Protein backbone atom coordinates (compact mmCIF):
# COMPACT_ATOMS: atom_id res chain seq x y z
CA UNK A 1 0.00 0.00 0.00
CA UNK A 2 1.31 3.41 -0.98
CA UNK A 3 1.15 5.91 1.90
CA UNK A 4 1.13 9.66 1.25
CA UNK A 5 4.51 11.06 2.26
CA UNK A 6 3.15 13.87 4.45
CA UNK A 7 0.06 12.19 5.88
CA UNK A 8 -1.05 13.92 9.11
CA UNK A 9 1.73 16.53 8.81
CA UNK A 10 1.28 20.31 9.01
CA UNK A 11 3.72 22.19 6.81
CA UNK A 12 4.85 25.84 6.84
CA UNK A 13 6.41 27.23 3.67
CA UNK A 14 8.01 30.68 3.67
CA UNK A 15 7.89 32.28 0.25
CA UNK A 16 5.07 29.91 -0.57
CA UNK A 17 3.03 32.22 -2.77
CA UNK A 18 5.02 31.79 -5.99
CA UNK A 19 7.82 29.94 -7.71
CA UNK A 20 9.42 27.05 -5.89
CA UNK A 21 7.57 27.74 -2.64
CA UNK A 22 4.22 27.47 -4.38
CA UNK A 23 5.39 24.28 -6.06
CA UNK A 24 6.27 22.81 -2.67
CA UNK A 25 2.84 23.77 -1.32
CA UNK A 26 1.10 21.99 -4.19
CA UNK A 27 3.28 18.93 -3.81
CA UNK A 28 2.75 18.81 -0.05
CA UNK A 29 -0.98 18.83 -0.66
CA UNK A 30 -0.67 16.04 -3.21
CA UNK A 31 1.25 14.01 -0.62
CA UNK A 32 -1.54 14.20 1.94
CA UNK A 33 -0.49 17.04 4.25
CA UNK A 34 -3.02 17.68 7.01
CA UNK A 35 -2.60 21.44 6.71
CA UNK A 36 -0.41 23.95 4.90
CA UNK A 37 0.58 27.50 5.76
CA UNK A 38 2.18 29.65 3.06
CA UNK A 39 3.77 33.02 3.68
CA UNK A 40 4.73 35.95 1.50
CA UNK A 41 4.14 39.64 0.88
CA UNK A 42 1.68 39.33 -2.01
CA UNK A 43 -1.71 38.87 -0.35
CA UNK A 44 -3.54 38.48 -3.64
CA UNK A 45 -1.35 35.64 -4.88
CA UNK A 46 -1.24 34.06 -1.43
CA UNK A 47 -4.97 34.05 -0.87
CA UNK A 48 -5.61 32.75 -4.40
CA UNK A 49 -3.19 29.84 -3.99
CA UNK A 50 -4.46 29.02 -0.49
CA UNK A 51 -8.04 28.95 -1.77
CA UNK A 52 -7.12 26.69 -4.70
CA UNK A 53 -5.31 24.15 -2.53
CA UNK A 54 -8.07 24.24 0.09
CA UNK A 55 -10.68 23.65 -2.61
CA UNK A 56 -8.69 20.58 -3.68
CA UNK A 57 -9.07 19.12 -0.21
CA UNK A 58 -6.15 20.28 1.97
CA UNK A 59 -6.77 23.15 4.37
CA UNK A 60 -4.34 25.92 3.50
CA UNK A 61 -3.85 29.32 5.07
CA UNK A 62 -1.99 32.34 3.77
CA UNK A 63 -0.08 34.35 6.38
CA UNK A 64 1.07 37.74 5.13
CA UNK A 65 4.73 37.99 6.10
CA UNK A 66 7.58 40.32 5.20
CA UNK A 67 10.77 38.43 6.00
CA UNK A 68 12.69 41.69 6.23
CA UNK A 69 11.03 41.89 9.66
CA UNK A 70 12.24 39.03 11.84
CA UNK A 71 9.27 39.35 14.21
CA UNK A 72 6.90 38.71 11.31
CA UNK A 73 8.96 35.65 10.42
CA UNK A 74 8.77 34.30 13.97
CA UNK A 75 5.07 35.07 14.18
CA UNK A 76 4.40 33.07 11.01
CA UNK A 77 5.39 29.95 12.96
CA UNK A 78 3.21 30.88 15.92
CA UNK A 79 0.23 31.68 13.68
CA UNK A 80 0.60 28.34 11.91
CA UNK A 81 0.54 26.51 15.24
CA UNK A 82 -2.45 28.56 16.41
CA UNK A 83 -4.32 27.78 13.19
CA UNK A 84 -3.63 24.04 12.95
CA UNK A 85 -2.73 23.11 16.51
CA UNK A 86 0.68 21.77 15.48
CA UNK A 87 3.59 22.18 13.09
CA UNK A 88 5.62 19.24 11.82
CA UNK A 89 7.63 20.48 8.84
CA UNK A 90 9.03 23.86 7.81
CA UNK A 91 10.48 24.96 4.48
CA UNK A 92 12.48 28.16 4.12
CA UNK A 93 11.92 28.78 0.41
CA UNK A 94 11.87 32.57 0.26
CA UNK A 95 14.89 34.45 -1.00
CA UNK A 96 16.13 37.90 -1.97
CA UNK A 97 18.24 37.90 -5.15
CA UNK A 98 18.98 41.58 -5.79
CA UNK A 99 22.45 42.06 -7.27
CA UNK A 100 25.58 43.49 -5.69
CA UNK A 101 29.34 43.02 -6.00
CA UNK A 102 32.09 43.48 -3.43
CA UNK A 103 32.63 46.94 -4.88
CA UNK A 104 29.11 48.35 -5.09
CA UNK A 105 27.15 46.58 -2.33
CA UNK A 106 25.93 49.10 0.20
CA UNK A 107 25.53 48.30 3.89
CA UNK A 108 21.78 48.62 3.38
CA UNK A 109 21.75 46.03 0.57
CA UNK A 110 23.95 43.70 2.61
CA UNK A 111 21.63 44.00 5.61
CA UNK A 112 18.60 43.30 3.42
CA UNK A 113 20.13 40.03 2.21
CA UNK A 114 21.09 38.97 5.71
CA UNK A 115 17.57 39.76 6.97
CA UNK A 116 15.68 37.79 4.32
CA UNK A 117 18.14 35.04 3.40
CA UNK A 118 19.62 34.28 6.82
CA UNK A 119 18.14 35.99 9.86
CA UNK A 120 14.48 35.18 9.27
CA UNK A 121 15.15 31.56 8.23
CA UNK A 122 17.27 31.19 11.38
CA UNK A 123 14.42 32.31 13.61
CA UNK A 124 11.78 30.32 11.72
CA UNK A 125 13.96 27.30 12.42
CA UNK A 126 14.33 28.34 16.06
CA UNK A 127 10.59 28.70 16.67
CA UNK A 128 9.85 25.45 14.84
CA UNK A 129 12.41 23.54 16.90
CA UNK A 130 11.06 24.99 20.15
CA UNK A 131 7.56 23.83 19.20
CA UNK A 132 8.65 20.33 18.22
CA UNK A 133 10.65 19.96 21.42
CA UNK A 134 7.69 21.13 23.50
CA UNK A 135 5.57 18.36 21.94
CA UNK A 136 8.33 15.78 22.22
CA UNK A 137 7.84 14.73 18.60
CA UNK A 138 10.14 14.38 15.60
CA UNK A 139 9.96 16.85 12.74
CA UNK A 140 11.86 18.10 9.74
CA UNK A 141 13.08 21.38 8.27
CA UNK A 142 14.32 22.02 4.75
CA UNK A 143 16.26 25.14 3.82
CA UNK A 144 16.34 26.15 0.17
CA UNK A 145 19.86 27.52 -0.14
CA UNK A 146 21.71 27.94 -3.45
CA UNK A 147 24.64 26.40 -5.27
CA UNK A 148 25.99 29.97 -5.20
CA UNK A 149 26.74 29.61 -1.48
CA UNK A 150 29.87 27.70 -2.56
CA UNK A 151 31.23 30.71 -4.46
CA UNK A 152 28.74 32.18 -6.87
CA UNK A 153 29.01 34.94 -9.42
CA UNK A 154 30.72 38.27 -8.67
CA UNK A 155 27.38 40.10 -8.80
CA UNK A 156 25.92 37.93 -6.01
CA UNK A 157 28.29 38.94 -3.20
CA UNK A 158 25.71 39.75 -0.45
CA UNK A 159 23.48 36.87 -1.55
CA UNK A 160 26.40 34.45 -1.31
CA UNK A 161 27.34 35.78 2.14
CA UNK A 162 23.82 35.16 3.46
CA UNK A 163 23.27 31.79 1.78
CA UNK A 164 26.65 30.49 2.93
CA UNK A 165 25.59 31.40 6.44
CA UNK A 166 22.32 29.50 5.97
CA UNK A 167 24.22 26.41 4.84
CA UNK A 168 26.37 26.61 7.95
CA UNK A 169 23.49 27.02 10.34
CA UNK A 170 21.65 24.14 8.63
CA UNK A 171 24.49 21.82 9.63
CA UNK A 172 24.84 23.39 13.07
CA UNK A 173 21.15 23.02 13.93
CA UNK A 174 20.99 19.49 12.54
CA UNK A 175 23.85 18.45 14.78
CA UNK A 176 22.44 20.26 17.82
CA UNK A 177 18.98 18.69 17.52
CA UNK A 178 19.65 15.21 16.19
CA UNK A 179 18.79 13.69 19.58
CA UNK A 180 15.46 15.55 19.43
CA UNK A 181 14.84 13.58 16.20
CA UNK A 182 14.48 16.85 14.31
CA UNK A 183 16.03 16.42 10.89
CA UNK A 184 17.34 19.55 9.18
CA UNK A 185 18.65 19.55 5.62
CA UNK A 186 19.42 22.01 2.85
CA UNK A 187 19.18 22.03 -0.91
CA UNK A 188 21.74 23.93 -2.97
CA UNK A 189 19.68 24.53 -6.07
CA UNK A 190 21.22 25.74 -9.29
CA UNK A 191 19.70 27.76 -12.11
CA UNK A 192 15.94 27.14 -12.04
CA UNK A 193 13.10 28.15 -14.34
CA UNK A 194 10.64 30.26 -12.34
CA UNK A 195 8.59 33.38 -12.97
CA UNK A 196 10.85 35.18 -10.52
CA UNK A 197 13.94 34.13 -12.47
CA UNK A 198 12.36 35.50 -15.64
CA UNK A 199 11.92 38.88 -13.95
CA UNK A 200 15.48 38.77 -12.61
CA UNK A 201 16.98 37.98 -16.01
CA UNK A 202 15.10 40.84 -17.65
CA UNK A 203 15.71 43.37 -14.88
CA UNK A 204 19.38 42.74 -14.18
CA UNK A 205 20.72 41.10 -17.32
CA UNK A 206 18.75 42.69 -20.17
CA UNK A 207 17.30 39.35 -21.26
CA UNK A 208 14.52 39.16 -23.82
CA UNK A 209 11.37 37.08 -23.88
CA UNK A 210 13.39 34.20 -25.33
CA UNK A 211 15.70 34.05 -22.30
CA UNK A 212 14.49 30.61 -21.22
CA UNK A 213 14.99 29.03 -24.63
CA UNK A 214 18.56 30.37 -24.71
CA UNK A 215 19.20 29.34 -21.11
CA UNK A 216 17.99 25.79 -21.76
CA UNK A 217 20.32 25.52 -24.75
CA UNK A 218 23.29 26.64 -22.65
CA UNK A 219 23.20 23.87 -20.02
CA UNK A 220 24.18 20.18 -20.23
CA UNK A 221 20.75 18.63 -19.65
CA UNK A 222 19.01 20.92 -22.12
CA UNK A 223 16.78 22.43 -19.46
CA UNK A 224 17.08 24.52 -16.32
CA UNK A 225 16.01 23.10 -12.97
CA UNK A 226 12.27 22.45 -12.87
CA UNK A 227 10.04 23.55 -10.00
CA UNK A 228 7.94 20.40 -9.91
CA UNK A 229 10.99 18.14 -9.78
CA UNK A 230 12.65 20.14 -7.00
CA UNK A 231 9.40 20.36 -5.03
CA UNK A 232 8.99 16.58 -5.19
CA UNK A 233 12.49 16.11 -3.80
CA UNK A 234 11.91 18.66 -1.02
CA UNK A 235 8.76 16.85 0.09
CA UNK A 236 10.69 13.57 0.10
CA UNK A 237 13.35 15.12 2.34
CA UNK A 238 10.64 16.42 4.68
CA UNK A 239 9.03 13.00 4.91
CA UNK A 240 9.90 9.96 7.00
CA UNK A 241 10.83 8.18 3.77
CA UNK A 242 14.14 10.06 3.76
CA UNK A 243 15.02 8.07 6.84
CA UNK A 244 17.79 9.34 9.11
CA UNK A 245 19.22 11.92 6.71
CA UNK A 246 20.08 15.13 8.54
CA UNK A 247 22.70 17.85 8.26
CA UNK A 248 23.02 17.30 4.52
CA UNK A 249 23.29 20.21 2.10
CA UNK A 250 22.63 18.55 -1.24
CA UNK A 251 23.61 20.00 -4.63
CA UNK A 252 20.74 20.16 -7.11
CA UNK A 253 22.59 21.27 -10.19
CA UNK A 254 23.91 19.97 -13.50
CA UNK A 255 27.38 21.48 -13.26
CA UNK A 256 29.88 19.49 -11.22
CA UNK A 257 31.88 21.56 -8.78
CA UNK A 258 35.58 20.92 -9.22
CA UNK A 259 35.10 19.47 -12.69
CA UNK A 260 37.10 20.95 -15.53
CA UNK A 261 36.98 20.58 -19.32
Amino acid sequence: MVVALLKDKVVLISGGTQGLGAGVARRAAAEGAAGIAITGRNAGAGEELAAAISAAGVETRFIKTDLADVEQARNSVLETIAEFGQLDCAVNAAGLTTRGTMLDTTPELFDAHIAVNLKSPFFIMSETIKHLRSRGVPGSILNVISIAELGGQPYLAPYVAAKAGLAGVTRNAAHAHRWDRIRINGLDIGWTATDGEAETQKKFHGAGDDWLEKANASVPMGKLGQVDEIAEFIVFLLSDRSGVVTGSVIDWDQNVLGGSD
Side-chain angles (χ1 to χ4, degrees), residues 96-106 109-114 117-118 146 148-165:
L96 180 67
T97 59
T98 48
R99 287 1 190 183
T101 71
M102 286 296 296
L103 302 180
D104 61 20
T105 295
T106 63
L109 179 61
F110 184 87
D111 288 347
H113 275 269
I114 294 298
N117 293 331
L118 179 57
S146 170
E149 61 98 355
L150 297 169
Q153 295 91 337
Y155 54 77
L156 291 178
Y159 178 79
V160 169
K163 288 293 190 177

Side-chain angles (χ1 to χ4, degrees), residues 52-113:
I53 297 175
S54 294
V58 177
E59 184 181 356
T60 303
R61 182 185 173 192
F62 168 67
I63 302 170
K64 193 173 191 306
T65 306
D66 183 353
L67 292 181
D69 180 351
V70 69
E71 290 308 313
Q72 291 189 42
R74 296 174 74 178
N75 285 336
S76 69
V77 177
L78 302 180
E79 288 187 44
T80 301
I81 296 166
E83 177 71 20
F84 295 102
Q86 68 186 68
L87 175 60
D88 303 286
C89 308
V91 180
N92 282 305
L96 180 67
T97 59
T98 48
R99 287 1 190 183
T101 71
M102 286 296 296
L103 302 180
D104 61 20
T105 295
T106 63
E108 292 77 16
L109 179 61
F110 184 87
D111 288 347
H113 275 269

Side-chain angles (χ1 to χ4, degrees), residues 13 33-34 67 74 79 105 146 163 166 175 181 201 228 232 237 241 258:
I13 305 161
L67 292 181
R74 296 174 74 178
E79 288 187 44
T105 295
S146 170
K163 288 293 190 177
L166 185 57
H175 174 73
R181 297 179 298 156
Q201 289 297 318
D228 59 339
E232 184 174 354
L237 287 172
R241 288 295 296 159

Side-chain angles (χ1 to χ4, degrees), residues 10 15 18 40 64-65 76 108 118 130 134 140 144-145 155 161 163 174 189-190 248 250:
V10 172
Q18 62 180 357
K64 193 173 191 306
T65 306
S76 69
E108 292 77 16
L118 179 57
K130 289 175 186 176
S134 74
S140 57
V144 176
I145 309 176
Y155 54 77
K163 288 293 190 177
I189 63 170
S248 293
I250 302 166

